[in-house]
Protein backbone atom coordinates (compact mmCIF):
# COMPACT_ATOMS: atom_id res chain seq x y z
CA UNK A 1 0.00 0.00 0.00
CA UNK A 2 2.79 2.42 0.84
CA UNK A 3 4.38 1.85 -2.54
CA UNK A 4 1.07 2.50 -4.29
CA UNK A 5 0.65 5.77 -2.41
CA UNK A 6 4.24 6.70 -3.25
CA UNK A 7 3.80 5.94 -6.94
CA UNK A 8 0.54 7.92 -7.01
CA UNK A 9 2.27 10.90 -5.38
CA UNK A 10 5.05 10.67 -7.98
CA UNK A 11 2.60 10.68 -10.91
CA UNK A 12 0.48 13.47 -9.45
CA UNK A 13 3.56 15.66 -9.05
CA UNK A 14 4.73 15.04 -12.60
CA UNK A 15 1.31 15.42 -14.20
CA UNK A 16 0.68 18.73 -12.45
CA UNK A 17 3.91 20.21 -13.84
CA UNK A 18 3.36 19.84 -17.58
CA UNK A 19 4.12 23.49 -18.23
CA UNK A 20 7.51 23.23 -16.54
CA UNK A 21 10.78 22.01 -17.96
CA UNK A 22 11.96 18.43 -17.66
CA UNK A 23 14.55 19.19 -14.98
CA UNK A 24 12.05 20.88 -12.69
CA UNK A 25 9.62 17.99 -13.11
CA UNK A 26 12.12 15.40 -11.96
CA UNK A 27 13.36 17.61 -9.15
CA UNK A 28 9.85 17.99 -7.72
CA UNK A 29 9.21 14.28 -8.16
CA UNK A 30 12.42 13.51 -6.28
CA UNK A 31 11.39 15.92 -3.52
CA UNK A 32 8.16 13.98 -3.08
CA UNK A 33 9.96 10.67 -3.13
CA UNK A 34 12.67 11.76 -0.72
CA UNK A 35 10.14 13.14 1.71
CA UNK A 36 7.88 10.10 1.84
CA UNK A 37 10.14 7.10 2.15
CA UNK A 38 13.30 6.01 3.87
CA UNK A 39 13.62 2.79 1.87
CA UNK A 40 14.57 2.03 -1.70
CA UNK A 41 12.05 2.37 -4.49
CA UNK A 42 11.45 -0.50 -6.86
CA UNK A 43 12.77 -0.32 -10.40
CA UNK A 44 9.17 -0.50 -11.62
CA UNK A 45 8.30 2.69 -9.74
CA UNK A 46 11.33 4.50 -11.10
CA UNK A 47 10.55 3.25 -14.60
CA UNK A 48 6.98 4.51 -14.48
CA UNK A 49 8.12 7.87 -13.17
CA UNK A 50 10.73 8.27 -15.89
CA UNK A 51 8.24 7.40 -18.61
CA UNK A 52 5.86 10.05 -17.33
CA UNK A 53 8.61 12.65 -17.08
CA UNK A 54 9.85 11.82 -20.60
CA UNK A 55 6.31 12.11 -21.93
CA UNK A 56 5.99 15.59 -20.46
CA UNK A 57 9.38 16.52 -21.91
CA UNK A 58 8.32 15.26 -25.34
CA UNK A 59 5.10 17.26 -25.19
CA UNK A 60 7.05 20.35 -24.20
CA UNK A 61 9.41 19.88 -27.16
CA UNK A 62 6.65 19.28 -29.68
CA UNK A 63 4.59 22.17 -28.32
CA UNK A 64 7.59 24.46 -28.68
CA UNK A 65 8.22 23.32 -32.25
CA UNK A 66 4.59 23.54 -33.36
CA UNK A 67 3.99 27.02 -31.94
CA UNK A 68 3.97 30.05 -34.23
CA UNK A 69 7.62 30.73 -35.08
CA UNK A 70 8.60 27.51 -33.31
CA UNK A 71 10.96 26.77 -36.17
CA UNK A 72 11.17 30.12 -37.92
CA UNK A 73 12.06 31.99 -34.73
CA UNK A 74 14.57 29.44 -33.46
CA UNK A 75 17.88 29.86 -35.25
CA UNK A 76 19.04 26.46 -34.04
CA UNK A 77 16.33 24.49 -35.89
CA UNK A 78 15.17 27.01 -38.50
CA UNK A 79 14.80 25.44 -41.95
CA UNK A 80 16.76 27.22 -44.67
CA UNK A 81 17.41 26.52 -48.33
CA UNK A 82 18.75 23.00 -48.93
CA UNK A 83 22.57 23.07 -49.03
CA UNK A 84 22.67 22.23 -52.74
CA UNK A 85 20.25 25.08 -53.41
CA UNK A 86 22.01 27.79 -51.43
CA UNK A 87 23.76 28.88 -54.59
CA UNK A 88 20.29 29.31 -56.06
CA UNK A 89 19.29 31.54 -53.17
CA UNK A 90 22.40 33.70 -53.52
CA UNK A 91 21.95 34.07 -57.26
CA UNK A 92 18.28 35.00 -56.90
CA UNK A 93 19.08 37.52 -54.20
CA UNK A 94 21.75 38.98 -56.43
CA UNK A 95 19.18 39.62 -59.18
CA UNK A 96 16.63 41.21 -56.84
CA UNK A 97 14.48 38.24 -55.86
CA UNK A 98 15.37 38.24 -52.17
CA UNK A 99 11.74 38.78 -51.22
CA UNK A 100 10.74 35.52 -52.90
CA UNK A 101 13.54 33.71 -51.06
CA UNK A 102 12.30 35.07 -47.74
CA UNK A 103 8.74 34.02 -48.54
CA UNK A 104 9.97 30.51 -49.29
CA UNK A 105 11.89 30.22 -46.01
CA UNK A 106 8.87 31.44 -44.05
CA UNK A 107 6.53 29.02 -45.84
CA UNK A 108 8.93 26.12 -45.30
CA UNK A 109 9.10 26.75 -41.55
CA UNK A 110 5.35 27.20 -41.27
CA UNK A 111 5.03 23.75 -42.80
CA UNK A 112 7.41 22.27 -40.26
CA UNK A 113 5.48 23.92 -37.43
CA UNK A 114 2.24 22.35 -38.66
CA UNK A 115 3.82 18.93 -39.09
CA UNK A 116 5.33 19.00 -35.59
CA UNK A 117 1.83 18.72 -34.13
CA UNK A 118 1.76 15.09 -35.31
CA UNK A 119 4.94 14.02 -33.54
CA UNK A 120 3.70 13.47 -29.99
CA UNK A 121 1.85 10.15 -30.50
CA UNK A 122 4.89 8.62 -32.22
CA UNK A 123 7.26 9.62 -29.42
CA UNK A 124 4.78 8.57 -26.74
CA UNK A 125 4.44 5.15 -28.37
CA UNK A 126 8.20 4.66 -28.13
CA UNK A 127 8.17 5.72 -24.48
CA UNK A 128 5.26 3.41 -23.69
CA UNK A 129 7.21 0.46 -25.10
CA UNK A 130 10.26 1.28 -22.99
CA UNK A 131 11.35 -1.58 -20.76
CA UNK A 132 12.51 -1.25 -17.16
CA UNK A 133 16.03 -1.98 -18.39
CA UNK A 134 15.72 0.83 -20.94
CA UNK A 135 14.56 3.25 -18.25
CA UNK A 136 17.37 2.38 -15.85
CA UNK A 137 19.87 2.60 -18.69
CA UNK A 138 18.67 6.11 -19.49
CA UNK A 139 18.83 7.30 -15.89
CA UNK A 140 22.32 5.87 -15.46
CA UNK A 141 23.53 6.51 -19.00
CA UNK A 142 25.28 9.22 -20.98
CA UNK A 143 23.96 12.75 -21.26
CA UNK A 144 22.09 11.91 -24.45
CA UNK A 145 20.87 8.43 -23.51
CA UNK A 146 17.17 9.31 -23.67
CA UNK A 147 17.54 11.13 -26.98
CA UNK A 148 19.48 8.23 -28.46
CA UNK A 149 16.85 5.79 -27.24
CA UNK A 150 14.12 7.78 -28.99
CA UNK A 151 16.18 8.09 -32.15
CA UNK A 152 16.83 4.37 -32.18
CA UNK A 153 13.23 3.36 -31.55
CA UNK A 154 11.19 6.03 -33.33
CA UNK A 155 13.24 7.66 -36.10
CA UNK A 156 11.96 5.47 -38.92
CA UNK A 157 8.35 5.52 -37.79
CA UNK A 158 8.56 9.26 -37.24
CA UNK A 159 10.02 9.85 -40.69
CA UNK A 160 7.47 7.57 -42.38
CA UNK A 161 4.57 9.29 -40.65
CA UNK A 162 6.04 12.76 -40.96
CA UNK A 163 6.70 12.67 -44.70
CA UNK A 164 3.10 12.85 -45.95
CA UNK A 165 2.19 15.30 -43.20
CA UNK A 166 5.13 17.50 -44.12
CA UNK A 167 4.31 17.21 -47.81
CA UNK A 168 0.76 18.35 -47.16
CA UNK A 169 1.92 21.07 -44.80
CA UNK A 170 4.48 22.59 -47.14
CA UNK A 171 1.98 22.37 -49.99
CA UNK A 172 -0.67 24.12 -47.92
CA UNK A 173 1.68 26.89 -46.85
CA UNK A 174 2.92 27.31 -50.41
CA UNK A 175 6.50 26.23 -49.77
CA UNK A 176 6.43 23.50 -52.44
CA UNK A 177 5.20 25.84 -55.16
CA UNK A 178 7.55 28.62 -54.10
CA UNK A 179 10.56 26.31 -54.13
CA UNK A 180 9.53 24.79 -57.44
CA UNK A 181 9.13 28.26 -58.95
CA UNK A 182 12.48 29.37 -57.54
CA UNK A 183 14.29 26.24 -58.72
CA UNK A 184 12.72 26.39 -62.16
CA UNK A 185 13.59 30.07 -62.47
CA UNK A 186 17.18 29.30 -61.54
CA UNK A 187 17.34 26.37 -63.95
CA UNK A 188 16.49 28.73 -66.80
CA UNK A 189 19.59 30.82 -66.14
CA UNK A 190 22.19 29.94 -68.80
CA UNK A 191 25.32 28.03 -67.83
CA UNK A 192 24.10 27.04 -64.34
CA UNK A 193 24.03 23.55 -62.86
CA UNK A 194 20.43 22.40 -62.61
CA UNK A 195 18.89 21.71 -59.18
CA UNK A 196 16.13 19.28 -58.20
CA UNK A 197 12.92 21.15 -57.31
CA UNK A 198 11.69 18.24 -55.09
CA UNK A 199 11.48 19.53 -51.53
CA UNK A 200 9.77 16.80 -49.49
CA UNK A 201 12.71 14.63 -48.43
CA UNK A 202 14.83 17.58 -47.34
CA UNK A 203 12.01 19.28 -45.46
CA UNK A 204 10.96 16.09 -43.69
CA UNK A 205 14.46 15.23 -42.51
CA UNK A 206 15.20 18.75 -41.30
CA UNK A 207 11.91 18.97 -39.43
CA UNK A 208 12.58 15.63 -37.72
CA UNK A 209 16.15 16.65 -36.89
CA UNK A 210 14.83 19.85 -35.31
CA UNK A 211 12.47 17.93 -33.07
CA UNK A 212 15.23 15.64 -31.87
CA UNK A 213 17.37 18.66 -31.11
CA UNK A 214 14.63 20.05 -28.89
CA UNK A 215 14.31 16.66 -27.21
CA UNK A 216 18.06 16.70 -26.57
CA UNK A 217 17.74 20.14 -24.98
CA UNK A 218 15.02 18.84 -22.66
CA UNK A 219 17.27 15.94 -21.70
CA UNK A 220 20.16 18.31 -21.05
CA UNK A 221 18.04 20.14 -18.50
CA UNK A 222 17.54 16.99 -16.48
CA UNK A 223 21.19 16.00 -16.76
CA UNK A 224 22.32 19.39 -15.49
CA UNK A 225 19.90 19.43 -12.57
CA UNK A 226 21.95 18.36 -9.50
CA UNK A 227 18.85 17.03 -7.75
CA UNK A 228 18.30 14.60 -10.61
CA UNK A 229 21.74 13.03 -10.08
CA UNK A 230 22.57 13.28 -6.37
CA UNK A 231 19.26 13.01 -4.52
CA UNK A 232 19.11 10.38 -1.79
CA UNK A 233 16.38 8.48 -3.58
CA UNK A 234 18.40 8.03 -6.77
CA UNK A 235 21.49 7.12 -4.77
CA UNK A 236 19.55 4.33 -3.10
CA UNK A 237 18.03 3.09 -6.35
CA UNK A 238 21.32 3.08 -8.22
CA UNK A 239 23.45 1.51 -5.55
CA UNK A 240 25.13 4.58 -4.08
CA UNK A 241 25.86 6.42 -7.33
Amino acid sequence: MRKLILAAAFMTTVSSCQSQNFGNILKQANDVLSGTTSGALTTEEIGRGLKEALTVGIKNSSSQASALNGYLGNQTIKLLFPPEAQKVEQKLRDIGLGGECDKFITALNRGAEKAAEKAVPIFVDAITKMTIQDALGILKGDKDAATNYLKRTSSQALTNAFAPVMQEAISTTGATKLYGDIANTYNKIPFTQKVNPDLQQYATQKAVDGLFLLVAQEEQKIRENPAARVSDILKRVFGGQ
Side-chain angles (χ1 to χ4, degrees), residues 4 22 44 65 154 177 191 197 202:
L4 289 176
F22 194 10
E44 287 79 10
S154 63
K177 183 179 185 303
F191 310 112
Y202 166 79

Side-chain angles (χ1 to χ4, degrees), residues 189-211:
I189 300 175
F191 310 112
T192 58
Q193 183 177 353
K194 308 306 179 185
V195 297
N196 186 352
D198 185 6
L199 185 62
Q200 179 179 343
Q201 182 177 1
Y202 166 79
T204 299
Q205 188 60 55
K206 292 299 291 183
V208 170
D209 289 347
L211 276 175

Side-chain angles (χ1 to χ4, degrees), residues 79-118:
L79 276 67
L80 302 173
F81 272 74
E84 66 274 13
Q86 288 176 2
K87 58 185 178 182
V88 179
E89 177 184 12
Q90 187 58 55
K91 184 67 175 180
L92 293 175
R93 290 187 184 280
D94 288 344
I95 61 175
L97 294 176
E100 292 303 306
C101 294
D102 293 336
K103 288 179 183 178
F104 163 72
I105 292 173
T106 297
L108 185 62
N109 283 274
R110 292 289 181 253
E113 289 158 11
K114 286 188 176 182
E117 298 173 358
K118 307 295 184 180

